Structure formats: C-alpha cells, structure tokens
Amino acid sequence: MSGINRKEKKYAKKMRNQPSNITFSSSDTGAGRSGMGRSESQTDIPHDGWFTCHREGVNGDRVQQQQVGPSHQAACYSDRQRGPHRGGFRGYRGSSRGSYRSHSQEIPKIITATNFAQARAAEINAMLKAVTHKSSSQFLQSLPPQMRRRAMSHNIKRLPRRLREIAKKEVEKIAHLKKEQSKSKSRKARRRHGNLLLEFNRRQRKNIWLETHIWHAKRFHMVKKWGYCLANKPTTKSYRACYHAMTTHCLLQDLSYYCCLELNGTEDKLLKALTRLSSRDAGATFASVACLSGKCQGSLILYKADQYPEKPLGPVTFLWRPKAQSESHSENRQLWIWTHPALKMDILTELQLVCQCLDVPLPEPVPSECKSTTQTTENQTKVVGLKRKLQDKDGEEVIPKKKILGNGTRDPSETVSWTSLTTGIVIEDLTMEILRYRLIGPLSHCVILEALQAAAVLKNSEVTEEMGLHCWWSEYCRRSENVTLHNRQGDFLLLLPGIGSPAEISAGTVLGLTVGDPRLNMPKNKTTAMPDPSQPKDLEKTRELCLKGVGAECAQSQIWDPNVRNIVTETKISEQELNRMRSKLLVPGTRLDLGPQESKIPILLVQQPGKVAGEEHTGWGSGWDILIPKGWGMAFWIPLIYRGARAGGLQEGAKHSQYKGIPHFPDDFPDCPAGIQHSKETEKELIDKYKRYPPAKRPNYIHHGTMTPFCCPWQRLVEEWETRNKDDGIKPGVSGKEQALGSEVPDSNKQHAGEREESASEAMSNEEKAPELEEEMEEDSENVTALELKAGCENIQNSSTKEIPGDSGHVYVLRSKKLLKQMSAWCRPTSSKGQQTQQRRRSAQVQMTTDAVKSIICSYPRFLVWIRLTLLKKGSPVANATICIPSKEDLQLMVSDPNCSGPQEPKHRDPFKRKCKTLKGKKKKALSEDLETGSADLGIKSVSSVRMDLIRGLWPDQLQNVTSHCSRLIIGYVSQGDFSLTVGCGEALGFVSLMGLLHMVSNQAADKRGLVLLRNPASLQYRLAKINIEV
C-alpha cells in the first residue's frame, strides 16, 4: 500500500460498484475472458499514471475517455489486491486488465456530443424515471442483499447512518397508521350496544338497510342493489324448500325497499293528470271503479305523458284511500303509488311534470298536544339506574345515539314534498316510512291470524288514565262508529281460516286493521300455523267474503294518517323494557298482559292474486301483503317466522314471478330505462366472470354459433325483421309453397357459403392469411360445414347485406290486451306439455288474413311479444337462449321419430382464434418493451393502445345479421328459464319479434302452428317447444 493514502483507497472502494460499459475487440475476447494472474497484470499497466479505454456508442462512434493520475492507479491497485479471479471492471466477469494496451491505439481523437447523448438517451430516461418516481420499497430494500439484517427492522441504529433518518420517518408513519386502525378496541368493547349502534349507523350512510337487515345478514347472501343492501338467497340449500313453502304453506319476503309516493289533491285533478300516464287499452287504469273506491289495489304500467304505447317507465301498484263517512262530501283524495327503487326517479319526474309540481317544500306540521304529551310521558317513564355518559372528554354534553329508522342516507335538508301552485296537488316521498311484507302460499292467512290479533277497545274509564301514552287510540275509540268498524274488521280477520287459499278472495282486496303488539303472542318454540278443523265455521259469511270481498268501509285504516304513524313509531316499547317486564312475572313463561298500555299498530292487509293469466295453475302463488309503520319491522317479522313462515330473498321473488308466468322487474322489461340499464350491468358482470376462466374451462360461443351469450340484442332483432318484412312481405296462406318458405332460407345461405368464405378470409390480416388459415381449416375440418364459414365475414366487414333503416328507434313491448288475445288465438296454445289442444270459443276470433296481418305490422313495427315456452320433451332452458323458426325438415323429423329431441346446429368455425393469439403476443411484446426501454417517455406505442376488444370465444361488439347467423331463423330470445317444478318440465319466458312471430305462424300448417326451436347459448342441440301467449 506504499504511495497510496487512506482517502484514495476509500475512493477506489466506493467507485468499484459503479457500472461501466467497456467493450473489447474481437481479437482480444479470449484474453479478456480468461483473466490473468497478478504478475502479468502488473506488467501491463503503464507506470506514468495514465491509462486509456474506449467506449462504443449506440451509433457506432468510438468515444475516447482518459483518466489521469493516481486515483485510478489506486483502483488498479485494489484490483490487484483482490486476486486474479475478479479481473477487469465490475460488470464484466473474467475481463482482464491486460487488454488495455491493445485498445490504446484505436482510441479516436475527437467525440461528437450529440451522438454520444443520443446513444445514452435510454439510460438517461431510466435514470430520470428512477429519480422522479418515488419507490414503494421500504428502507431495508434500498440496501444490497448482503447488507440486510433482521435486526434492522426493529433497531434503526443497525442501519447505515445515511438511511437512519428515512427509516425513522417510515417507522413513525407506520405507527401512526396502526394507531388509527386500532381505534376500535377489543371485540367486547366493539360489541357493546352503543359502539355497535354507532358502527351500524356509519355503515348505513351509502346503502340503506332494511329493519330486518341484521337478521338477514346472518342467514342470507347479501347484495348491494339500487341503493339498498338486500338479501339475495339463503346460505343453506333451500331451493326446493322455498318452492314447497310457496306451494303448500307460506313464504315470507321483506319488500320494504319498494318506494311509496303519496299524492294528495282533488279527485278530478288527480285523475286528469294520471290519465296521461296510462291507457285503457293496456288494462285497468287509476280510474277503475273497484280501485277508486279504495277496496282493491290496482296495478298497471306507467308511460311517459301521452306516449302510449311507446316509452314505458315501468310497473307500479296503487292504492286509493277509501272515503270515510265523515269525509263523504270532501273532494280531497289520497293516493299511494308503490314503485321499484330502480324507476323511482323516472316516475317521480314524470309525476311532477303532469301534476305541475314545483320544488317547493311544504312546512313541517306543527306537533300536536297529543304528540308533545307523548314525548313527555316517554321521557318520564325512562328506566332509571342504567349507566350512560352525560359528558364526553371535553366536557360537552353527549348527544344520545339512536337507531336509524327509515332512510338513513337521506339528507335532512333534502326536499321530500312537492306542491303545485296551479292544481293544488302535493307529492310526498314516503320511502322507508311504510314497511311492506309479502306472504306467499295457501296458508299465509293462517300465519297472519295466529301472529296478529285485533287490538282491544279502550273503555271510557281507561281513556282518561292512559291519555298520554296512546292518545290517538283513545281518541279513536271515543266515537261509536269507529268501534263498530273496528269490530267488523276483526270479524273479517277471523273468517280467513275458513277459506282454502287467498286466491279464493277477490284480487287485490284490502282490509284495514288495528292490531296489538305481536311480540306478546309469540310461542316459546317455532310452530307451523295450520287451520284448526275443530273451530266452527260460518259458511255463509265465508261464501259472502269470497264472492263480494271486503267492503270499502272495512278498508279504512289509521295508517294513512302521518301523525298516527309517527306516534306509533315513537311510543313503541323497546325489547329491553319488555324483557324487564317479563322478568317480573309471577309465573315465568306466561303471557305478558299489558292491558291498556299495550301498543296499538294500524296496518293494512292487501291480497295478492297470484297467477291470473292463462288457464293453467290459476291462483298459484297467491298471498297477502302487510303494510305497517316504520320502526315495527322486527316486531312483526319474528312472530311471523315463529309461525312457520320461511324467509326468502330476491332469488325466490324472481322464481315466484317465473312460475306465475309474469315479467319480473327489471329483468324482463327491455323497453324501460331501468331494464336497459340492468341488462348492461348484468352483461358486464357476466363478461367479467367469463374472462376470469381460462379458455379451456369456458365454452367457446363462436363454435356454438351464439353471438350474444350474455345479453339479448332486441334492437337489432326488430330492425332486421323490419328490413326482411319490407323486402319479402308476409303471406298468411298455408299452401305448400308458403310452407317451404321457411326451409328455403337455410338453402339460400348454403348457396352463398363459398362467397362468404372468401370474404371471411379477406377480413383477416395479410400476415395471418396463408399459413394460419390452412392450419385452422385442418384443425376444425371435422364437423364444419360450408354454412359455418359465413360467421366471420358477416360481423367484421360490410358484406352484401340489406341496409338497416336509418331512423333506428327503440324497441317496445306489445301490451294491448285485445291484440294479445288475438295473437294467443292464432298461436293456439296447448296444455303445459303440449300434448293436447284446448278447446276454445272461436266466435269472437278474427281470421288470420293478409289484411289483418298487415294492419298489425303497420301499427306495431318494432314491437316484442311476451311469451311462455314449454318444452315438449327433455331439456332445461337458460337465459339468453335463442328462439328459432323450425324448418319443414325439422317438423317432419318430429313426426317420423317421436323420440328425437330436435335437430342440431352445425359447429361454427372461429375466425378470430389466430387474431386473439396474435394480439396476445403483441400485448406481451409491448409490455416487455415498456418495461425495458421506458416507452411512455420516448413516445413509443404502449400496451393500452393495442387492440384488446377481442376475447377468445366471444364475438366482437359490431353485430350484423343476428336473425340469419345460424342455420335457423331467430325470432326471439329467452329472458329467464329453468326446469319448472310446477309442471315438471322445462319452461322459459322471453320475447319474440311481432313480425317474426306473424311470419312463422302464417307459414306453418294448422296442426303445427306455434311450434318453435329453442337452443341454449352453450349448446348445439335444438329443442322443440310450444309458444303460449297468456293474457
């Protein structure tokens, strides 16, 4: 170490880790790799303190570098000290120092700064990126691996001094985050009532919780939909059990997420405004006599003002408040409209338009003396002795935390009432103010009778004593006509066990009632409510109830009064107080009798008719709806469960609609804004789920000839049938020439298969044409016909197809009762399994003539028809299955071979298979380039710019020729389908094009009319099915 001081040695040790780009000539490669010993290397280094090396730039120029003096000599000395096996500069293993002398003669005299900087552009960009972008690594990761120690993670002094300040800041940051996360202490502290209530209230800020949410969350799969947190399906295997409950006993659902809109105004002005939103052609309206009196609930589909039959909004149910005897001369009426939360805003906007309401909030009603007295009494009767914090840490008074009742996400300053200065109509939003439970099943009335009991009437002596606690009920009982009405309503409730099913009562019957606290009548263990045959039955009154229903006067209830609803909610006795009273009973387990102190709750019972369309299984799925004030959700839910009612969720509600054969909102409303939005969301979820599977574990829908496996292209379907109808027309005869029309379509497609094959190959890129197309044909040569080769071209490029009309509008559903009955007669629906033809009266039928068909087509050009499909043989349809027109050969095959399930679709070729592989390679290549060269900074094409819309096994978005894509003409799609437990075979519900249906029926023989083919998206097998249009 003579001649070298410590500072130079330290500098040499520091510089040995620096990178160097030193290239050797081809002549000295072997020498550079072999390395030299200590004695040989010592003789090669010049003694004048100079040595030179050269660098080769990217542009090929040689760049001269010179280093002077003893500093670099010290580095050479350090290399000699390390021995012969670590020769050369770091980064080039085995390189020797003996090659310096051979390169000194090739060093250029000058360098170009521009070329040198350009050659180092990539390195400079990488350095700038590393400097500007903060690394997510921790302080330990900044050290080389050989310097890391486990003790450094908890002892900062073990780190080098240059990293201690950084490590100290990171440790403090992590400790601060842990401190914030550990605010919720132990589980015992978190499960305390106050803390638990605060946590539940916090979680209700984004999504509304129903009052039965906690009960459902322990037993159901919960989903977040439409701004609510709802129960989807039970966690247990209960599919058949829920169906058995709907069929033989009782299924219970919480429909409190449905929104209620209240309209107040004169009857004439209300009807004048609401008439613009509906039509008598589609069924009952708001002015129906039975519904207007208040004795029945009505249902209809609302449209935009004066737009029927186009631009529907969605289905609603409505209920008029019956007129009381004292208000018979008054013209003011009250109307409740129940809507799905997905279409609430659309309907509310349209109601404000037709009612001419402005955003003027009504002043809050002044609390009455009864209400203030009730609050004072409640505060005086609070339980004394419970520990509650009166002040917080800062000494301020603690605001008591209460359970959220109603809509917890609503801003208190948000407007919920709108009034019209011209018409005087007031619209009020009562969302979550009234709860709604639905009981489905033939014994639902038995469950109601055992769980609910009519409230006891207060006597005159009891009125003065309990004036503060139940002032509304005491005031109500002071009038004799109210007591008489209450007794009549209680008698109707006692008649319910005498009927066999709720379907025997008039559809939509409303019964008002005031009941006592149902928590006081709960059994110790769960029981099954059944009719008691030992009790005497009044057959005459029961028969009168089934024929005439409940009178309008018995449909009255105090639940219509908002003041009564608020008093009932606020004066509810808590569970804690009830348990305290039960603990003081002389005989434990006996019924708690509160006498006049018992809560009185006004409710409404609304009959649900069940299946009313068609002639099969009429009345299936009937039941009752219970309307109760908010705050009493669990008080009614648990007693109903303890009487044997089985709880269901959204999935059970969808199956209930499917078995009844009615559209389920929003899945089966493709012409409503909410239905369109729901279909888009469902399609996105299914595509994401499909992409999560590897290609070998998911079906290739291109091979199956399915263009849209996750949605139904209704718009494209009706447009193509409109174009086909303009070119071909519809001929309603049943001659042989017309019957052969359906079978000529596949033949014509086969004739042009060669042309389509050529255009399909032209659509592929030039680089994929020659070798890859031959390879693909060899792979898929089996089971591939000439018809299948048309798939790629018709959806990528504009082939010689007919143009779609430019004025493409929306698609709509046909809801005219008269026309639907006519279409049902033309399709001649059969029994559930399609084996026998029903005998119908044909006196009022219109014959299927050319003029009749053309008039329907001209009036309803782009309309869909709701149908029910029943499979004739085995098979289970699923959603998005295609409904096709059978050819003449298919119908002959059914006659010749009774055991044949149906024809098969030929396997299609995948023209996008090679493109997907090419895009996958391009994606990997672009990703590697981005990581290596920093393409984003240099302007190189990034990964995001590569085309990623192609998914292996799926067609791209640009769809054409949806109807003639397969070997059979497509006329519709299935929206929901499954094996029906009601009829014991596969059933499906869906829509077909009105033009396509008329084209099929007019060209089919009389004995084969109404037969279609149905094929699932992931199958090539067609199934024969029968169309039923139920009205």
Side-chain angles (χ1 to χ4, degrees):
M1 298 179 59
S2 60
I4 301 176
N5 54 21
R6 293 179 178 272
K7 189 176 293 186
E8 293 173 349
K9 183 179 178 181
K10 185 176 180 180
Y11 180 78
K13 186 176 180 181
K14 181 179 180 182
M15 295 299 294
R16 72 179 182 180
N17 292 328
Q18 301 302 319
S20 61
N21 295 332
I22 296 180
T23 59
F24 300 93
S25 62
S26 59
S27 60
D28 295 336
T29 304
R33 289 184 181 180
S34 61
M36 293 184 181
R38 176 179 180 181
S39 60
E40 185 179 0
S41 62
Q42 288 176 359
T43 59
D44 293 338
I45 298 179
H47 296 282
D48 55 354
W50 291 81
F51 90 92
T52 59
C53 62
H54 74 276
R55 295 176 182 265
E56 187 174 354
V58 178
N59 55 357
D61 299 335
R62 291 188 175 272
V63 183
Q64 181 180 359
Q65 288 185 348
Q66 294 184 353
Q67 294 186 356
V68 187
S71 61
H72 194 78
Q73 188 176 3
C76 298
Y77 175 81
S78 63
D79 289 340
R80 290 196 299 268
Q81 296 295 328
R82 286 192 297 270
H85 298 288
R86 305 181 67 180
F89 291 90
R90 293 185 67 88
Y92 291 89
R93 294 183 180 179
S95 61
S96 175
R97 294 165 301 282
S99 60
Y100 298 154
R101 180 173 55 188
S102 62
H103 293 294
S104 62
Q105 300 175 359
E106 302 176 6
I107 298 175
K109 295 182 179 180
I110 59 174
I111 63 171
T112 305
T114 307
N115 296 338
F116 182 80
Q118 186 177 3
R120 298 296 179 268
E123 298 178 7
I124 294 173
N125 287 330
M127 181 185 67
L128 292 176
K129 186 176 181 180
V131 172
T132 55
H133 297 283
K134 185 178 180 181
S135 176
S136 61
S137 61
Q138 296 181 355
F139 54 91
L140 287 177
Q141 295 176 350
S142 60
L143 290 173
Q146 64 270 17
M147 294 183 63
R148 299 176 187 175
R149 298 293 183 270
R150 185 179 293 113
M152 294 178 180
S153 60
H154 56 81
N155 189 359
I156 300 178
K157 293 183 179 180
R158 294 270 187 177
L159 287 168
R161 293 181 179 178
R162 60 186 177 88
L163 296 177
R164 290 180 185 177
E165 291 296 330
I166 302 175
K168 187 177 180 179
K169 293 180 180 179
E170 291 191 10
V171 169
E172 292 177 355
K173 183 179 179 180
I174 294 174
H176 181 66
L177 292 176
K178 287 184 177 180
K179 186 177 180 180
E180 288 182 353
Q181 293 176 357
S182 62
K183 283 186 176 180
S184 57
K185 301 177 182 179
S186 62
R187 186 179 186 277
K188 181 178 180 181
R190 284 186 278 113
R191 298 299 296 178
R192 288 173 184 162
H193 178 73
N195 298 336
L196 199 62
L197 190 59
L198 288 175
E199 177 67 14
F200 289 164
N201 293 345
R202 182 191 65 81
R203 289 163 60 184
Q204 297 182 54
R205 293 175 184 173
K206 292 185 178 180
N207 296 283
I208 303 175
W209 283 11
L210 306 183
E211 293 190 14
T212 58
H213 173 83
I214 302 298
W215 189 93
H216 279 101
K218 298 176 181 179
R219 299 164 178 87
F220 280 73
H221 295 283
M222 309 300 291
V223 293
K224 295 178 180 179
K225 282 187 174 182
W226 313 303
Y228 293 82
C229 198
L230 305 176
N232 187 28
K233 60 180 180 179
T235 54
T236 58
K237 294 182 179 180
S238 57
Y239 178 80
R240 288 181 177 267
C242 291
Y243 170 78
H244 187 265
M246 285 188 287
T247 307
T248 61
H249 195 254
C250 180
L251 181 77
L252 179 61
Q253 288 180 291
D254 189 356
L255 302 183
S256 302
Y257 60 91
Y258 269 71
C259 306
C260 180
L261 301 177
E262 182 179 281
L263 276 71
N264 288 280
T266 60
E267 182 177 321
D268 296 338
K269 293 181 179 180
L270 284 174
L271 291 178
K272 183 180 179 180
L274 296 174
T275 304
R276 301 176 58 190
L277 304 179
S278 60
S279 175
R280 296 181 60 184
D281 186 39
T285 62
F286 289 100
S288 177
V289 177
C291 300
L292 193 59
S293 62
K295 60 181 296 186
C296 290
Q297 176 186 252
S299 61
L300 49 82
I301 294 179
L302 292 184
Y303 293 80
K304 287 194 173 182
D306 306 323
Q307 295 293 330
Y308 176 83
E310 300 177 352
K311 298 183 180 180
L313 296 176
V316 298
T317 57
F318 62 93
L319 188 62
W320 289 93
R321 181 177 185 177
K323 289 185 178 181
Q325 295 180 359
S326 59
E327 300 176 355
S328 57
H329 60 279
S330 177
E331 296 181 356
N332 289 330
R333 296 297 302 271
Q334 194 172 351
L335 174 66
W336 282 349
I337 299 179
W338 293 84
T339 71
H340 193 275
L343 57 91
K344 169 189 170 183
M345 295 309 301
D346 296 336
I347 291 181
L348 184 60
T349 304
E350 206 65 23
L351 287 175
Q352 292 176 1
L353 176 64
V354 297
C355 297
Q356 304 176 13
C357 290
L358 305 176
D359 291 339
V360 179
L362 290 178
E364 295 184 1
V366 180
S368 58
E369 297 179 358
C370 176
K371 185 173 180 180
S372 59
T373 307
T374 304
Q375 294 177 352
T376 306
T377 308
E378 184 182 7
N379 295 332
Q380 292 176 357
T381 57
K382 277 188 175 180
V383 181
V384 182
L386 299 179
K387 295 182 179 180
R388 290 290 183 268
K389 287 187 177 181
L390 300 180
Q391 293 181 352
D392 58 3
K393 295 181 180 180
D394 299 333
E396 298 180 359
E397 185 178 355
V398 175
I399 301 176
K401 305 300 186 297
K402 296 183 179 180
K403 182 179 179 181
I404 293 179
L405 297 178
N407 189 355
T409 63
R410 177 183 292 171
D411 188 3
S413 61
E414 183 181 354
T415 303
V416 295
S417 298
W418 301 266
T419 181
S420 174
L421 302 179
T422 57
T423 61
I425 298 176
V426 179
I427 303 176
E428 187 174 358
D429 185 7
L430 298 182
T431 301
M432 295 297 295
E433 294 294 318
I434 303 172
L435 310 182
R436 190 177 189 119
Y437 293 161
R438 175 163 294 176
L439 291 88
I440 305 170
L443 297 183
S444 56
H445 53 276
C446 297
V447 175
I448 293 175
L449 181 64
E450 291 193 12
L452 308 179
Q453 292 183 2
V457 179
L458 294 180
K459 299 179 181 180
N460 295 332
S461 59
E462 299 172 342
V463 167
T464 56
E465 296 176 0
E466 304 299 335
M467 194 69 170
L469 188 59
H470 303 290
C471 62
W472 78 270
W473 181 242
S474 60
E475 292 290 339
Y476 184 80
C477 293
R478 282 183 177 180
R479 304 183 61 178
S480 59
E481 57 270 17
N482 293 339
V483 175
T484 304
L485 178 61
H486 175 70
N487 294 332
R488 289 185 58 189
Q489 292 172 343
D491 294 339
F492 275 113
L493 182 65
L494 297 177
L495 291 176
L496 293 181
I499 61 177
S501 172
E504 299 179 7
I505 306 178
S506 302
T509 298
V510 179
L511 175 62
L513 201 62
T514 302
V515 298
D517 195 336
R519 295 173 293 178
L520 304 179
N521 303 324
M522 283 182 56
K524 294 182 180 179
N525 300 319
K526 285 187 177 181
T527 59
T528 302
M530 299 295 291
D532 189 2
S534 62
Q535 292 184 356
K537 299 179 182 179
D538 194 341
L539 299 180
E540 294 183 1
K541 292 185 178 180
T542 304
R543 189 181 300 108
E544 183 180 358
L545 174 63
C546 295
L547 295 177
K548 299 182 180 180
V550 180
E553 64 279 359
C554 293
Q556 299 176 14
S557 176
Q558 292 299 310
I559 196 175
W560 290 91
D561 190 351
N563 293 328
V564 174
R565 291 199 306 266
N566 294 333
I567 294 173
V568 170
T569 301
E570 294 172 359
T571 58
K572 176 191 173 185
I573 303 176
S574 64
E575 292 285 344
Q576 182 182 10
E577 181 66 15
L578 279 180
N579 293 334
R580 187 185 64 82
M581 294 179 180
R582 288 192 182 102
S583 64
K584 295 182 179 180
L585 289 175
L586 184 61
V587 180
T590 56
R591 184 184 182 278
L592 179 63
D593 187 9
L594 298 181
Q597 298 182 2
E598 182 180 354
S599 300
K600 312 298 187 300
I601 309 101
I603 65 171
L604 277 179
L605 296 179
V606 183
Q607 192 266 357
Q608 293 298 321
K611 189 176 186 300
V612 293
E615 299 180 357
E616 302 170 1
H617 306 284
T618 304
W620 185 92
S622 59
W624 292 89
D625 282 8
I626 305 178
L627 307 183
I628 58 179
K630 69 175 182 181
W632 286 88
M634 290 302 297
F636 278 77
W637 183 267
I638 297 300
L640 295 174
I641 292 294
Y642 265 66
R643 262 63 182 199
R646 176 176 287 272
L650 296 177
Q651 187 184 70
E652 285 70 30
K655 288 299 177 183
H656 178 240
S657 301
Q658 178 181 342
Y659 289 152
K660 289 199 301 181
I662 62 174
H664 182 260
F665 190 86
D667 308 74
D668 302 329
F669 285 82
D671 55 344
C672 298
I676 296 173
Q677 180 66 23
H678 178 76
S679 64
K680 291 180 181 179
E681 295 174 357
T682 305
E683 180 185 7
K684 184 179 180 301
E685 293 176 1
L686 293 177
I687 290 178
D688 293 341
K689 182 180 179 181
Y690 180 82
K691 291 165 63 176
R692 287 196 295 267
Y693 286 91
K697 302 299 180 183
R698 65 190 186 195
N700 190 321
Y701 292 107
I702 298 180
H703 286 324
H704 293 93
T706 305
M707 301 186 71
T708 55
F710 306 126
C711 67
C712 301
W714 305 116
Q715 182 70 30
R716 195 72 193 177
L717 178 71
V718 295
E719 287 177 354
E720 291 187 7
W721 271 108
E722 185 180 11
T723 304
R724 183 182 295 272
N725 178 64
K726 288 181 179 179
D727 295 341
D728 300 337
I730 297 180
K731 300 178 182 180
V734 291
S735 61
K737 181 179 179 180
E738 294 165 348
Q739 293 179 15
L741 181 61
S743 60
E744 287 176 3
V745 176
D747 296 336
S748 63
N749 293 332
K750 294 178 183 179
Q751 291 175 3
H752 300 284
E755 300 175 4
R756 289 164 178 161
E757 181 181 357
E758 294 177 1
S759 58
S761 61
E762 290 175 1
M764 304 177 68
S765 58
N766 295 330
E767 59 188 57
E768 303 169 359
K769 239 182 190 179
E772 296 179 356
L773 183 59
E774 294 177 0
E775 243 179 76
E776 183 106 15
M777 292 296 294
E778 290 176 1
E779 290 177 3
D780 297 335
S781 58
E782 298 180 1
N783 301 328
V784 179
T785 62
L787 174 64
E788 304 160 19
L789 300 176
K790 70 178 182 179
C793 63
E794 295 179 351
N795 297 277
I796 302 177
Q797 63 183 18
N798 295 328
S799 58
S800 57
T801 56
K802 301 179 180 69
E803 296 182 357
I804 300 299
D807 55 343
S808 59
H810 295 283
V811 61
Y812 304 106
V813 178
L814 182 65
R815 296 186 176 93
S816 174
K817 297 293 184 181
K818 181 179 179 181
L819 190 55
L820 287 175
K821 290 180 181 179
Q822 188 60 54
M823 295 296 300
S824 177
W826 286 352
C827 291
R828 297 182 61 188
T830 60
S831 61
S832 59
K833 293 189 177 182
Q835 303 296 331
Q836 299 177 359
T837 304
Q838 295 180 355
Q839 300 296 330
R840 287 176 169 268
R841 296 180 180 178
R842 304 178 181 271
S843 58
Q845 289 186 10
V846 178
Q847 296 299 325
M848 188 169 54
T849 60
T850 306
D851 297 336
V853 172
K854 286 185 177 180
S855 63
I856 294 175
I857 291 176
C858 294
S859 302
Y860 306 93
R862 294 182 179 179
F863 276 75
L864 300 173
V865 181
W866 174 258
I867 62 169
R868 181 171 66 92
L869 294 170
T870 305
L871 297 185
L872 301 184
K873 295 180 182 178
K874 63 179 182 179
S876 178
V878 297
N880 303 322
T882 56
I883 305 171
C884 306
I885 300 176
S887 62
K888 183 179 179 180
E889 291 79 7
D890 299 335
L891 298 178
Q892 290 177 355
L893 180 64
M894 183 185 67
V895 177
S896 60
D897 188 3
N899 297 325
C900 180
S901 299
Q904 283 195 349
E905 173 73 15
K907 185 180 179 182
H908 292 238
R909 187 178 63 85
D910 188 357
F912 308 103
K913 184 177 181 181
R914 293 295 176 185
K915 282 193 173 184
C916 292
K917 289 185 178 179
T918 305
L919 287 176
K920 187 177 181 181
K922 290 181 180 179
K923 178 185 175 183
K924 289 183 178 180
K925 185 178 180 181
L927 183 61
S928 61
E929 291 178 356
D930 286 352
L931 295 177
E932 292 177 1
T933 63
S935 61
D937 297 332
L938 298 177
I940 303 175
K941 185 178 180 181
S942 60
V943 182
S944 59
S945 62
V946 180
R947 183 182 176 188
M948 302 302 295
D949 57 342
L950 284 180
I951 303 174
R952 187 174 177 181
L954 293 180
W955 286 94
D957 293 336
Q958 56 272 17
L959 300 178
Q960 292 183 5
N961 294 336
V962 173
T963 56
S964 59
H965 169 66
C966 299
S967 58
R968 276 81 177 172
L969 281 176
I970 298 176
I971 62 172
Y973 295 92
V974 171
S975 61
Q976 52 178 318
D978 199 357
F979 184 86
S980 176
L981 299 176
T982 305
V983 297
C985 65
E987 277 195 344
L989 300 172
F991 295 94
V992 295
S993 172
L994 178 60
M995 292 185 178
L997 181 62
L998 291 174
H999 172 79
M1000 182 194 72
V1001 174
S1002 60
N1003 290 280
Q1004 282 183 340
D1007 55 341
K1008 304 297 182 184
R1009 192 169 291 169
L1011 291 178
V1012 295
L1013 293 177
L1014 190 143
R1015 184 168 67 91
N1016 288 337
S1019 174
L1020 296 173
Q1021 179 69 46
Y1022 285 97
R1023 303 286 183 182
L1024 282 169
K1026 178 65 182 177
I1027 282 183
N1028 295 319
I1029 301 177
E1030 298 178 338
V1031 185

